[in-house]
């Protein structure tokens, strides 16, 4: 549900009072730069016009009550001693963020929160970051706390790392907090500097959700991250200045390849080449050179499939189907991988043909219907009321 009026009515139905504020935080799609954020590299995501909404009102006590419209479930806890929810995942995103705020010694009151979202879960569109950032922002407003966008993003990432247990990088939370309408953000994940890059109004960014999400995706993600850390440790024995894979030049990788087991070498090669592709793609987008941008997307996909080994047959099929549509500049897996979605850049006049052909082809070959979203680059977190 994304109608502000309906969300507020729903809040009143649950908590018997009107909400005081309504906050919106968007999902995101990454155009290029995958698994580079936790290697202190570059990413190029955009916030999308699908979002998580939090209607909220302060309480005079120290209790937090939450109702999730999506799950039709409630959660309630005290601000004193927040623990992990024993058997449900979504409350942990909220609990983790609030615990993070408390850890900063910020005085906080209790609150009633109603959460509603139209970011599909498990599609690689960062429904979790949208939730974390929306909740963090809402509590910040209720408690007159003033965090910068970067700080809010770090707080949200910290919640996911330590409370939910996914060792994600900063990309999703950063763009949920600081996304810009009609732009993608080129983010340097080392120093968190960023540059908004306009997306031409003549193209659309299309997300195709494969409908396949692997249960082990989170642990496989953590495993990739651990492999990158191992690679840094091994390479450091000969390149002492190396503090993250971001520092590794392609030539360095080739001269020290003997230090790495073959699969580790391939993972590192993805990261090193993906960083360069992301910078090149941002430059191409800035010059509205969409053909080059599309080629880099395609190369990125091959690298994720062959070197980083995070694609699936369904995702590869979606990319192949996209490549066959005239007017599609490029297509690739987006997000953490092991299922989820592809992102494609498509010229405006080809959007309808793209949607039809990809949907038909996918259904014919897998028996599944993909969910296809034509996304608009949207604004980061903000208050609607
Ligand atoms: C997930 C993580 C991000 C990033 C991507 C891969 O979305 O949350 O931090 O690592 O995967 O690029």
């Amino acid at each position: 549900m994304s109608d502000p009026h309906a969300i507020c009515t729903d809040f009143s139905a649950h908590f018997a009072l009107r909400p005081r504020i309504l906050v919106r935080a968007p999902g995101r799609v990454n155009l290029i730069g995958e698994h580079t954020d936790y290697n202190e590299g570059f990413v190029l995501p955009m916030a999308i016009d699908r979002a998580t909404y939090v209607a909220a009102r302060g309480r005079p006590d120290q209790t937090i009550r939450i109702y999730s419209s999506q799950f039709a479930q409630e959660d309630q806890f005290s601000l004193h001693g927040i623990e992990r929810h024993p058997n449900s995942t979504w409350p942990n995103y909220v609990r983790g963020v609030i615990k993070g705020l408390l850890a900063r010694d910020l005085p906080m009151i209790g609150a009633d929160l109603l959460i509603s979202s139209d970011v599909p879960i498990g599609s690689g569109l960062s429904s979790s970051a949208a939730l974390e950032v929306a909740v963090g922002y809402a509590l910040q407003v209720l408690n007159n706390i003033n965090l910068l966008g970067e700080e809010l993003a770090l707080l949200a990432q910290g919640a996911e790392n330590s409370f939910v247990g996914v060792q994600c990088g900063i990309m999703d939370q950063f763009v949920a907090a600081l996304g810009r309408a009609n732009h993608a953000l080129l983010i340097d994940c080392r120093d968190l500097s960023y540059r908004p890059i306009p997306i031409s109004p003549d193209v659309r960014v299309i997300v195709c959700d494969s409908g396949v999400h692997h249960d082990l995706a989170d642990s496989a993600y953590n495993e990739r991250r651990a492999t990158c850390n191992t690679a840094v440790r091994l390479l450091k024995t000969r390149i002492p200045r190396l503090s993250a894979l971001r520092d590794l030049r392609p030539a360095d990788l080739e001269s020290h390849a003997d230090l790495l087991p073959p699969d580790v070498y391939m993972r590192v090669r993805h990261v090193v080449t993906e960083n360069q592709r992301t910078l090149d793609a941002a430059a191409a987008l800035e010059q509205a050179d969409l053909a080059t941008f599309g080629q880099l997307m395609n190369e990125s996909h091959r690298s994720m499939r062959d070197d980083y080994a995070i694609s699936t047959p369904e995702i590869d099929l979606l990319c192949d189907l996209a490549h066959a549509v005239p007017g599609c500049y490029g297509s690739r897996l987006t997000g953490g991988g092991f299922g989820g979605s592809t992102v494609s850049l498509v010229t405006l006049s080809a959007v309808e043909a793209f949607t039809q052909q990809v949907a038909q082809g996918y259904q014919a070959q897998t028996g599944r219907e993909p969910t296809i979203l034509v996304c608009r680059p949207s604004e980061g977190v903000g208050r609607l009321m």
Side-chain angles (χ1 to χ4, degrees):
M1 177 170 42
S2 57
D3 168 24
H5 180 73
I7 295 169
C8 293
T9 307
D10 211 14
F11 182 98
S12 308
H14 276 91
F15 299 115
L17 284 169
R18 300 282 301 162
R20 190 165 81 72
I21 61 169
L22 178 63
V23 164
R24 168 194 180 277
R28 67 96 189 92
V29 59
N30 190 19
L31 301 181
I32 195 164
E34 223 66 81
H35 288 264
T36 42
D37 60 352
Y38 54 79
N39 290 301
E40 300 186 15
F42 300 94
V43 292
L44 188 65
M46 70 175 214
I48 60 172
D49 50 344
R50 294 290 189 116
T52 294
Y53 300 82
V54 173
R57 187 179 182 95
R59 295 170 52 92
D61 58 14
Q62 296 280 293
T63 300
I64 301 280
R65 291 193 303 177
I66 320 162
Y67 181 75
S68 161
S69 306
Q70 240 172 335
F71 292 96
Q73 281 174 7
E74 285 174 19
D75 185 29
Q76 176 168 337
F77 55 90
S78 156
L79 287 174
H80 304 293
I82 300 177
E83 300 295 338
R84 261 190 205 90
H85 195 284
N87 41 37
S88 195
T89 309
W90 71 263
N92 286 329
Y93 296 102
V94 181
R95 290 176 175 216
V97 167
I98 299 180
K99 190 152 180 158
L101 280 168
L102 289 166
R104 294 171 175 229
D105 273 339
L106 299 166
M108 281 178 54
I109 53 168
D112 289 337
L113 309 171
L114 181 127
I115 299 165
S116 179
S117 183
D118 61 9
V119 187
I121 292 175
S123 315
L125 296 178
S126 268
S127 55
S128 54
L131 173 58
E132 292 151 5
V133 168
V135 166
Y137 194 86
L139 282 151
Q140 191 183 324
V141 175
L142 288 180
N143 290 287
N144 295 318
I145 299 167
N146 214 345
L147 295 180
L148 295 174
E150 292 87 321
E151 285 179 277
L152 177 61
L154 287 165
L155 175 87
Q157 182 202 14
E160 189 145 344
N161 289 169
S162 60
F163 225 74
V164 181
V166 180
Q167 299 307 313
C168 65
I170 189 66
M171 167 169 71
D172 307 342
Q173 293 80 3
F174 196 94
V175 71
L178 289 156
R180 187 82 64 86
N182 305 321
H183 290 74
L185 297 187
L186 174 65
I187 308 167
D188 179 336
C189 299
R190 169 161 279 170
D191 64 8
L192 299 189
S193 58
Y194 66 101
R195 198 165 85 237
I197 302 197
I199 297 181
S200 159
D202 302 336
V203 286
R204 288 291 175 266
V205 172
I206 304 186
V207 170
C208 299
D209 182 351
S210 66
V212 179
H213 181 71
H214 291 282
D215 288 345
L216 291 176
D218 287 351
S219 56
Y221 179 96
N222 288 348
E223 224 176 87
R224 288 293 181 283
R225 188 168 181 161
T227 302
C228 291
N229 293 341
T230 305
V232 170
R233 224 183 39 245
L234 294 170
L235 290 162
K236 231 176 148 56
T237 56
R238 269 195 232 143
I239 318 173
R241 66 169 172 85
L242 195 85
S243 71
L245 290 184
R246 146 75 170 272
D247 303 314
L248 193 65
R249 290 180 295 245
D252 294 337
L253 173 61
E254 294 318 317
S255 14
H256 303 295
D258 59 300
L259 288 174
L260 306 174
D263 58 329
V264 178
Y265 167 79
M266 283 160 71
R267 308 292 180 257
V268 174
R269 185 166 62 183
H270 164 74
V271 175
V272 170
T273 56
E274 184 78 351
N275 267 327
Q276 190 56 49
R277 274 190 294 273
T278 304
L279 292 173
D280 294 346
L285 194 59
E286 226 152 19
Q287 290 155 19
D289 178 357
L290 301 175
T292 301
F293 191 89
Q295 274 164 23
L296 291 161
M297 289 175 87
N298 296 340
E299 281 171 29
S300 165
H301 183 73
R302 284 194 289 274
S303 176
M304 286 186 285
R305 183 192 62 197
D306 302 338
D307 277 356
Y308 220 58
I310 55 171
S311 191
T312 60
E314 294 84 3
I315 291 286
D316 293 342
L317 172 63
L318 282 171
C319 286
D320 291 345
L321 291 165
H323 292 150
V325 180
C328 171
Y329 290 104
S331 186
R332 56 185 284 280
L333 162 71
T334 187
F338 310 101
S341 299
T342 60
V343 59
S344 308
L345 194 69
V346 179
T347 196
L348 201 50
S349 57
V351 168
E352 222 178 289
F354 178 95
T355 310
Q356 268 175 15
Q357 283 185 38
V358 173
Q360 265 170 17
Y362 191 69
Q363 188 155 27
Q365 294 196 45
T366 64
R368 288 171 184 276
E369 216 173 297
T371 307
I372 299 186
L373 303 176
V374 180
C375 298
R376 300 289 182 123
S378 91
E379 204 62 25
V381 71
R383 194 173 159 182
L384 300 182
M385 184 187 91

